[in-house]
Each structure stands twice: as structure tokens, then as C-alpha cells.
Amino acid sequence: MELIIIPVIFFILAVALAVSCANIVPQENAYVIERFGRYRTTWDAGIHFKFPFVDHVRRRVLLKEQVADFAPQPVITKDNVTMQIDSVVYFKVMNPHDYAYGVENPIMAMENLTATTLRNIIGDMELDQTLTSREAINSQMLQTIDLATDPWGIKVTRVELKNIQPPTAIRESMEKQMKAEREKRAAILTAEGQKQAMILEAEGKKESAVLNAEAEKQATILAAEAAREKEIKEAEGQAEAIRAIQEATADGIRAIKEAGADDTVIRLKSLEAFAAAADGKATKIIIPSEIQSLAGLAKGITESIKE
């Protein structure tokens, strides 16, 4: 019985030892392995075995991009204004060996490096420039910190200023300045709107006056054309009347000629015309030299009619 128990115990111990020697490294992780206190190798994701009591895991390293949110740091600007600035650093571990052996506490070292770099950059800027130059500050910090963390196996991918807090008095002064600036812009916009309204109103009146003048011009032209057409029609009517009179006169003369009228009839017609001229409306009457003979002729005709 004892002979059976002892091999079973040894088998269980061997299995337990084998299980303790097996290590599974998760994805996006790396293990730094030491043997007798010296660096031996770096395990990537997967299953690995180590020698018991000889190898041990020196450091477990996360290879994914990480975010380090550092506490606000007091920073003094070039014009002696103290501000509180907190920053955020995005980084990745590119070399687990250097990350494990390059510096004692990489995150704390990077925080101190970020604070020192931030003070150096802000110290060369005035307050207004600091508030308006975040992109420039981020770029300078990224370049400086990334270069300094290369020996630690760290790659800094981005640096952002999370918040900039000037002193309370300066914030109140800035708020008053911004309020005055907004009121100024509002007044300018109001004045511009009134100016545009006046310009549009003046242009409307101008266009209205031009249109009225154009309408009056067109009305005058149309009236002149109508008067001209009326005169033309009146002239045409008078011409038609004269033409009709002349045609009637011509027809009378033609009828007289066709009737064979003698000199006596013609003289009577002349006497009738003279009588029409002497109807009392004319101020001057020209008496022809033949009026006596015409008068005698008229007397003779009258007497002959009486007989």
C-alpha cells in the first residue's frame, strides 16, 4: 500500500510543479524574465515555461497605449502670473526591457519630467500668449518628453494641456474684458445693421424716384404721340374736307359746262359770290370794275322775269 501511495504523491507534486512553471501571457502584455537576478528574456503573448526556483517574472508590462493624467502643477509665466495647469500624457511601452531597467518608477519619472518641461515652456511666455498657444505648448512638450523617455522604452504619442486656471482676480478681469468686447461687437453689429438699413432705404427711394421719372417720361412721350396722332387725323380730316369741297366744286363746274351755260349765267354766279362776300361780316369789300355791268345784267334779267 505504501509503495502505491509514494508514486502517487510524487506524480501530484510533479504536476503541481509543472503547472506552477507554466505561465500564460495575455494579449498586449509582456513579461520580463530574470534568472538568478539577471535579465534572461522577454515573454510575449502566449504560454511559456520557466525553471522552478531559478526563473522569476521581474515585471509585467502593458503594451497598449496608456493615459497618465497628472495633477495640476503651479506654473509661473514670464509676466509673473502663477497658474495651475494639469496635463495628460498618452504613451506606449515599446521596449519592455528598457521599461523594466531604465528607471525605477517610469510613471513618476514621466510626471516629474512633464512638470519640469511645462514650467520651462510657460516661463518663456506671457499670460495672454499662454492662453492662446495651447497647440504650440503641446507640440513642444511632446517633442521634449518623447526624446527624454526614449531610454526608458516609452514612446509618448500625445501631450495635452487639460486645463489652465489663472488666478481668480485675473479670471474676473478677463471675464469683464470679454463682456466689454462682446458688448462692443454687439454695438458694432447694431450700427452696421442700421447703416445697411439706411443704405437700402436710400437705394429704394432712389430706385422709386428713377421709376417715377421714367413713368412720367413715358407718359409725356405717349401724350405727345397721342396729340401728334390727333393732329395728323385732324389734318387728314381737313384735307378730306377740302378735297371733298374741291371735288364738289369741280363737279359743279363740270355740270355747268355740260349744261352749256353762257356768259350770263357765269356772271350771275359771280354776282352771287360777291353777295356772299358782302354779307356784312367783312370789314373791307373790293368791288370789281364789272360790278355795274353785272348790276345792269341782273336788272334786265329781273325785268324779263316779271314780264
Side-chain angles (χ1 to χ4, degrees):
M1 187 67 179
E2 293 180 356
L3 295 176
I4 297 174
I5 293 175
I6 292 174
V8 171
I9 293 174
F10 276 106
F11 177 76
I12 293 173
L13 291 175
V15 172
L17 183 62
V19 171
S20 65
C21 292
N23 288 268
I24 298 176
V25 180
Q27 184 69 30
E28 294 296 330
N29 283 263
Y31 289 179
V32 178
I33 307 301
E34 291 181 349
R35 175 173 292 178
F36 297 114
R38 295 174 61 89
Y39 171 76
R40 179 178 176 272
T41 185
T42 299
W43 289 347
D44 54 4
I47 185 169
H48 301 272
F49 295 92
K50 64 179 180 179
F51 288 102
F53 311 110
V54 176
D55 297 337
H56 73 281
V57 179
R58 172 70 174 81
R59 182 179 289 254
R60 292 176 173 85
V61 181
L62 182 63
L63 301 180
K64 293 188 292 185
E65 186 173 10
Q66 304 177 58
V67 182
D69 188 359
F70 301 136
Q73 300 291 329
V75 181
I76 301 176
T77 62
K78 187 177 181 179
D79 49 355
N80 296 323
V81 177
T82 302
M83 299 186 299
Q84 296 289 330
I85 301 179
D86 54 340
S87 55
V88 180
V89 178
Y90 297 80
F91 67 95
K92 289 185 69 174
V93 177
M94 307 301 295
N95 191 326
H97 174 271
D98 294 343
Y99 185 77
Y101 298 102
V103 65
E104 177 62 24
N105 191 331
I107 302 300
M108 182 179 294
M110 190 163 54
E111 180 179 3
N112 293 330
L113 177 62
T114 301
T116 304
T117 304
L118 185 61
R119 291 190 180 99
N120 292 335
I121 295 174
I122 300 299
D124 294 332
M125 294 182 176
E126 295 183 354
L127 175 62
D128 294 339
Q129 186 179 4
T130 302
L131 297 175
T132 58
S133 304
R134 288 199 178 197
E135 292 297 330
I137 296 173
N138 294 339
S139 178
Q140 292 183 40
M141 290 183 62
L142 175 61
Q143 184 177 1
T144 303
I145 297 173
D146 185 38
L147 182 63
T149 55
D150 278 345
W152 305 341
I154 297 175
K155 172 66 177 176
V156 178
T157 58
R158 188 168 57 176
V159 178
E160 296 288 344
L161 298 183
K162 186 177 179 181
N163 192 16
I164 299 177
Q165 295 181 351
T168 304
I170 294 180
R171 287 203 304 270
E172 292 177 354
S173 177
M174 292 171 60
E175 289 175 359
K176 292 179 180 179
Q177 181 180 0
M178 290 300 298
K179 181 179 179 181
E181 186 67 24
R182 287 193 295 268
E183 291 176 352
K184 176 183 176 181
R185 288 199 295 266
I188 292 174
L189 291 175
T190 302
E192 286 290 337
Q194 293 177 353
K195 177 182 176 182
Q196 291 296 328
M198 294 175 65
I199 291 174
L200 292 175
E201 183 178 359
E203 290 180 351
K205 290 181 178 179
K206 176 183 175 182
E207 292 179 359
S208 177
V210 171
L211 292 175
N212 290 334
E214 186 68 24
E216 292 178 357
K217 176 182 176 182
Q218 292 296 328
T220 303
I221 293 173
L222 293 175
E225 291 180 352
R228 181 181 175 186
E229 291 179 358
K230 182 179 179 182
E231 291 178 354
I232 292 173
K233 290 181 178 179
E234 291 178 352
E236 290 177 350
Q238 293 177 358
E240 287 293 334
I242 293 172
R243 188 180 299 109
I245 293 171
Q246 291 178 351
E247 289 178 354
T249 304
D251 291 340
I253 294 171
R254 190 181 303 109
I256 293 171
K257 288 183 178 180
E258 291 177 354
D262 53 7
D263 292 338
T264 302
V265 176
I266 295 173
R267 288 180 181 180
L268 287 175
K269 290 293 183 179
S270 299
L271 183 60
E272 291 175 358
F274 177 75
D279 60 354
K281 295 181 180 180
T283 56
K284 294 181 180 180
I285 299 174
I286 300 173
I287 300 174
S289 58
E290 300 176 354
I291 192 62
Q292 294 178 356
S293 59
L294 291 173
L297 178 60
K299 184 179 179 181
I301 293 172
T302 303
E303 290 178 352
S304 61
I305 291 174
K306 288 180 179 181
E307 293 177 354

